[in-house]
Amino acid sequence: MNDWPEGWHGDNRGDRYGRGSANAQPESARVMRQVRRGQAAPPGPGGYGPGPSAQQYGGGVPPQPSYVNGGDDGAYGNGYDSGYNTGQVYGSPGGGGHGGGPGDHDHGPRPAPNWRRRIKWTAITVVTVLVVTTVGTYFWADSKLNREVDLSKVIDRPEQGDGTNYLIVGSDSRAGMSAEEKKKLHTGSAEGKRTDSMMILHTGSNGDTLISLPRDSDVEIPTFVGSESGKTYKGTGRHVKLNAAYAEDGPELLVRTVEFNTGLRIDHYVEIGFAGFANIVDAVGGVEIDIPKGGMKDTKSGADFPAGKQTLNGEQSLAFVRTRYALKGSDLDRTKNQQKFLNALANQVATPGTILNPFKLYPTMGAGLDSLIVDKDMGLYDLAKMFWAMKGVNGGDGTSMNMPIGGSSGGNLLWDKAKVKQLVEELKNDEKVTVSGG
């Protein structure tokens, strides 16, 4: 039996098995490279060397070169091992991906990373995150402002001057406080709310000015419209302490009274209560205060501090700013301590340790904004402007003073009318303040 195609036999194959044959006879089966790993198989039946299986074709099958261990260069030269017999046709063990040994496919060196592109996209990502965080923080903070005071209810207002005037009030509101908190903070349990501190902050192009208004200041209650009733109450020339105006009809009457007795228009109103004040101090980790020689002790406010520098927590800070009976100058000395404390608090809040630490910044902002009551036109920009102006004034970049005092009558402090008039004119014209306070 002849195993070759018809008309073919071992004697006449000759050189016709190549593709270059011009013979019309069919081309013989192409001889594939035989690739084996390890030791070459011995000649004989089933092998690839000369043996009976080759002889039965008349010796016409040419002997195949061995590629074992890079042996004979053979027809393909350089001992190339394709791994065909083991299925590893790409030179990777197990027929997998590309290997790294000699003879495997070479893709050349990897291209260098495009650092300019990477830096560009990193910068874009960082800027995007910052913008989103800033916008989100703005709307979060804005939503926390309690815009409860309507200055449009204030009647017969002075003309608008240059610069911006804020009326800043510290109230003794006990709203939302438990009996335990009232006892701890020494606030008492009086109903309603009064003002423990009042200040006018003027911001302008010729320096900022912070003026404390003693709560015992003698003022006249003018004609006003009730904030709730809408009823007009005619002025009778009645004189009271300044904090009585707040107790009588709240922020709107207090603004009306301050404007009537000074002639200075108030642009914005900001108020903070007992609990909010203490929470802000605790959120920043306390405030360092230097207590003067002799220390400070007041059973009514709860103050009990030795002399020297010390860090006050929220409860202690509230006692410090409320103390007046232990001070020689009573309410006038208390206003000075309040300004001193605001300076220390502003500097503590503005430190990198607070601003750059979200675990401090957000609790501080939350504690402050939750407890603030502002007018309906107050924005975050106005609030930030007020804060930085207070920090600057108390840090020595502006003027800090009490309202000029000319004497007292029946326990009320009388303002020096001439000095007050000059002070107000300088503020309205946004001029540098030259008047000294009491």
Side-chain angles (χ1 to χ4, degrees):
M1 179 178 180
N2 189 352
D3 292 331
W4 293 94
E6 184 177 355
W8 287 72
H9 53 82
D11 294 336
N12 65 4
R13 282 189 306 118
D15 58 356
R16 295 191 180 110
Y17 59 81
R19 286 187 179 270
S21 173
N23 196 302
Q25 296 290 341
E27 183 178 278
S28 65
R30 182 180 300 171
V31 178
M32 287 189 173
R33 296 179 288 127
Q34 302 300 315
V35 180
R36 299 178 57 206
R37 300 188 182 278
Q39 297 296 325
Y48 297 95
S53 59
Q55 293 174 359
Q56 65 178 319
Y57 299 109
V61 178
Q64 302 299 310
S66 171
Y67 294 89
V68 176
N69 296 326
D72 186 4
D73 287 348
Y76 294 91
N78 299 326
Y80 175 76
D81 178 3
S82 70
Y84 184 85
N85 278 3
T86 61
Q88 301 174 11
V89 295
Y90 294 106
S92 176
H98 298 286
D104 289 329
H105 292 278
D106 187 3
H107 293 278
R110 295 179 62 182
N114 190 334
W115 288 109
R116 180 176 297 179
R117 181 181 179 86
R118 291 186 181 185
I119 292 173
K120 170 186 173 183
W121 283 107
T122 299
I124 290 175
T125 301
V126 170
V127 170
T128 301
V129 170
L130 288 175
V131 170
V132 171
T133 301
T134 301
V135 172
T137 298
Y138 176 87
F139 284 106
W140 168 78
D142 187 72
S143 68
K144 285 184 168 293
L145 283 177
N146 300 308
R147 297 181 173 92
E148 299 177 6
V149 179
D150 188 357
L151 295 183
S152 67
K153 295 180 180 179
V154 180
I155 62 172
D156 299 333
R157 308 195 67 186
E159 291 184 2
Q160 180 74 52
D162 296 329
T164 304
N165 300 310
Y166 299 82
L167 180 60
I168 304 168
V169 174
S171 79
D172 64 357
S173 172
R174 298 156 179 84
M177 295 175 64
S178 65
E180 182 179 352
E181 289 173 326
K182 292 176 183 178
K183 181 178 179 181
K184 178 181 178 183
L185 298 177
H186 300 271
T187 64
S189 298
E191 294 299 324
K193 59 182 182 178
R194 283 155 291 279
T195 55
D196 259 21
S197 61
M198 290 160 283
M199 302 178 187
I200 293 175
L201 173 67
H202 172 83
T203 62
S205 57
N206 285 295
D208 303 322
T209 305
L210 182 64
I211 308 163
S212 289
L213 308 176
R215 56 176 274 174
D216 293 339
S217 297
D218 185 271
V219 294
E220 179 183 341
I221 298 294
T223 298
F224 70 97
V225 174
S227 59
E228 296 295 333
S229 66
K231 180 180 177 181
T232 299
Y233 297 88
K234 290 291 184 179
T236 61
R238 176 168 53 105
H239 280 246
V240 299
K241 293 182 178 181
L242 182 57
N243 66 337
Y246 181 93
E248 188 172 329
D249 198 50
E252 286 86 357
L253 178 55
L254 178 61
V255 171
R256 169 72 174 128
T257 302
V258 170
E259 290 187 342
F260 177 81
N261 284 269
T262 63
L264 185 68
R265 185 184 181 97
I266 300 299
D267 300 295
H268 292 294
Y269 177 91
V270 181
E271 176 187 327
I272 186 169
F274 280 164
F277 180 84
N279 288 339
I280 292 173
V281 175
D282 286 334
V284 298
V287 175
E288 186 179 76
I289 288 292
D290 190 1
I291 304 297
K293 185 178 180 180
M296 182 184 292
K297 188 175 180 66
D298 184 354
T299 55
K300 291 192 175 182
S301 69
D304 187 5
F305 311 122
K309 288 186 178 181
Q310 52 204 281
T311 299
L312 307 184
N313 61 24
E315 175 187 348
Q316 295 168 326
S317 298
L318 186 59
F320 176 80
V321 298
R322 294 184 63 220
T323 294
R324 65 170 176 160
Y325 294 104
L327 305 175
K328 183 179 179 180
S330 187
D331 202 33
L332 289 177
D333 283 348
R334 178 168 68 168
T335 58
K336 294 176 182 177
N337 278 343
Q338 290 170 348
Q339 293 182 353
K340 176 181 179 180
F341 185 86
L342 287 175
N343 173 31
L345 177 59
N347 281 294
Q348 177 67 23
V349 171
T351 60
T354 299
I355 294 178
L356 301 180
N357 184 354
F359 297 103
K360 268 194 174 184
L361 177 62
Y362 284 97
T364 301
M365 291 179 63
L369 295 172
D370 278 339
S371 56
L372 287 180
I373 295 176
V374 300
D375 65 90
K376 294 183 180 298
D377 294 326
M378 174 71 86
L380 283 179
Y381 173 77
D382 300 306
L383 195 61
K385 183 179 177 182
M386 181 198 80
F387 174 80
W388 289 110
M390 288 184 66
K391 179 180 181 298
V393 166
N394 289 309
D397 294 334
T399 303
S400 180
M401 59 185 289
N402 278 328
M403 184 64 81
I405 301 298
S408 63
S409 174
N412 292 1
L413 296 175
L414 302 176
W415 293 351
D416 186 321
K417 293 184 178 180
K419 286 187 175 182
V420 169
K421 181 178 180 180
Q422 181 182 347
L423 172 64
V424 169
E425 285 300 315
E426 290 175 343
L427 294 177
K428 291 174 70 172
N429 296 321
D430 195 24
E431 300 171 349
K432 185 174 179 61
V433 172
T434 61
V435 179
S436 59

